[in-house]
Amino acid sequence: MAGAVLTPAPWRLITDTALWSENWPGVPRPARGEIRARFTTCALCPAGCAVRARCVGEQPVLLTGVSGGLCPFGLSAHHLPYHPARLRKGPVAEATAAVAGKAGQGIAVLDLNPGRTASWSYRRAMGAMKGAYLTPQAEPFAYDLSAARTVLSIGTPLLDGWGTPSKVNAARPNFRLIQAEAMESRTAMLAEQWIPIAPGSESAFAKSIPQLEAARELSLVLGEGPEIAEINQRIGAFGKTVFGRSEAVVPETWTREAAAVTAFADVPDHSIAVLLIDETPATSYIPWHRIEQKLVRDNPVVVTFAAHRGGYARHAQFALPTAMYPEVLDDVAPAADAIRPVFRLAAPLVATPTGVVSLAEFVGTLSGVPVANVLRERADAIHHAGQGTLHTYADRQRTAVKELTADAFWKGLNEGGEWTWEDAKPRAAVMNRAEVRPVEPVESPADLPLVAISEPHYAGLVSPLLTKLYQESNLLLAPNRIALHPKDARDAGVVDGGRAMLQTRLGKCAVEVTVDAAVPAGAVQVGSAPGIQDVCGHAARAKVVSV
Amino acid sequence: MKLRGPIVFLAGVLVALGAGWAGFPRLIYQTRRQPVDFSHQVHAEKAGAKCEDCHAYRADGSFAGVPALDKCSGCHTAAMGSTVAEKNFIDQYVTPQREPEWLVYARQPENVYFSHITHTKRGNLKCEQCHGNQGASNSLPPYQQDRISGYSRDIWGHAGRPAMTMDACVACHRQSHLEHSCLDCHK
Ligand code: SF4
């Protein structure tokens, strides 16, 4: 033994065993093969960043931006097909039978990422079935930051995942940003002025805008509240910085067949017998109690089409697995700052897994509306209109659509390209009725001493690597975490890194705790996990209990 | 008889040392032959080839590694010379258009990302600093494959470094004050 340790044998064996274990079955291994670049569009959020994928053989191993960066979610998106929380199979036949069994009763599709070609398939199918097509907001606005000089943002993460990063960055030097927010968020840190407001007082602050010193200079107000549109109209932002969200042209027959867009809040309570939810990728989350309120009392059927188990799959009778970026061909909805029509395809970088279903095909089969070739039909309609240019990422060229054949246009889009119609006239903003927010019963500060501050929504899956990074670096609050001021943490008897129960009048949810002096006393910053959002309504009061 | 214990111990140590230094490498490494008896020296001297003529970078900066047969058959459409190695290369690979299955000394574990261009262009390293004087060698060194890990025993071409270990990379990075983070190499 003593002699052996003085030889290379044991040390070599230790190293070799470590190297050998890297090649065990189950350890992901990028294929060996030709190294090449492929181009696509990130479909994880409406920003739709241009992506250059370094592929070894057919396997993407590195995603980077084209003429700009990707956010950490986009950079690690090629890990998502292998995520352990992926939903891989589901009761498709049973769900189909349950939905068919309710034929003729109120059916609706809830689209949590409206503005895609799939959204039109849902609308057409609902049109044919006399159902409802529901979105979180009926008439989304589009904002032109390049025309803004002073922007007042009430808690909007303008510089942190809102809109298209390249457009926001290009416009940033030309506008002054005032951020009104309870916490000094990343956007607040980068703003010219941060106005700290009491947690939960966003609506009251919005109403006081006319009294602000900067009120006259404002060219745009951003925020979540129902009063924001009216304020923008009053300051004359409509037609200057606020427009209607534009969409690329669609085949004329689609518009005739399509059901109207209805805001989810406008649906009468207890009227939906069958609800089909598309949550891949969801750009917002409606807490489950609000969904439940719209369902018929007697045996409703809810089918969610999801890539993971963390969202509505926890509540729905049926959760069916869907493919997601970067494994499926899809288009990307226009972003909040798209004032002119745009059309981008997220071309798949890996093969679509077996056993997945798409809501478009599901409703297409139910309604008899053909949906198999809709992306090509839409690309042909755009090409036929002959407007705008195709920007191809690989060679960074812009080519007028008129100069391309329909096949070349389609090929360009599939190989990483973006169609834009730069000289289109922006659509006028339609003043929608103020969003009907359910009246929240008065919550007593005596029972629930803390006001919940929500993190920006990110419902999708994130790479396990990213999860590790943000849990260790504190750059983002992990979705399953809450953050508390040290004094409130002491009062609640919880410690940094410990576990606790977050309670609201809607229920309770197990969370992990971060103690952070940057959180105002009397508030609790809550992560964006659907479980937390389910128990935290808008500005809900909450209580943290140690477990 | 008092010395019996120490003698047995010493003998055991000597046997273990012998087995560890002499027997173990024979046991753990398997020597494999390259498919073609290739001379870098001939190519450098007679054809005037530089490293990057064959071990080229692609347009996007990624390293193409060992050249594909296409590159070789650009010159070797027919036998150039009368050596056995040349005849073997033409008959076995060029004529049937079969890619030689080169054994790559520098193959990295799957979890390592190594960028040649960063090292040669930004770090100004010469090929020889890592690969030894391969460019002047008349034959390829024996490929000794570790039976457990499957990797080559020597990637450095006897450039004065031990076999492939992370320590060797880290040592060089440390010298140049470039040991930034794990994620530089492990993606
Ligand atoms: S901002 Fe959105 S589109 Fe861009 S990389 Fe991130 S997730 Fe993808």
Side-chain angles (χ1 to χ4, degrees), chain A residues 42-49 69-75 161 163 165 325 458:
Chain A
C42 177
L44 292 180
C45 86
C49 299
L70 298 179
C71 78
F73 300 113
L75 275 176
Y325 170 77
Y458 193 85

Side-chain angles (χ1 to χ4, degrees), chain A residues 292-306:
Chain A
E292 229 174 1
Q293 205 179 341
K294 306 291 179 187
L295 300 175
V296 292
R297 288 202 174 88
D298 185 22
N299 202 17
V301 173
V302 179
V303 186
T304 187
F305 291 74

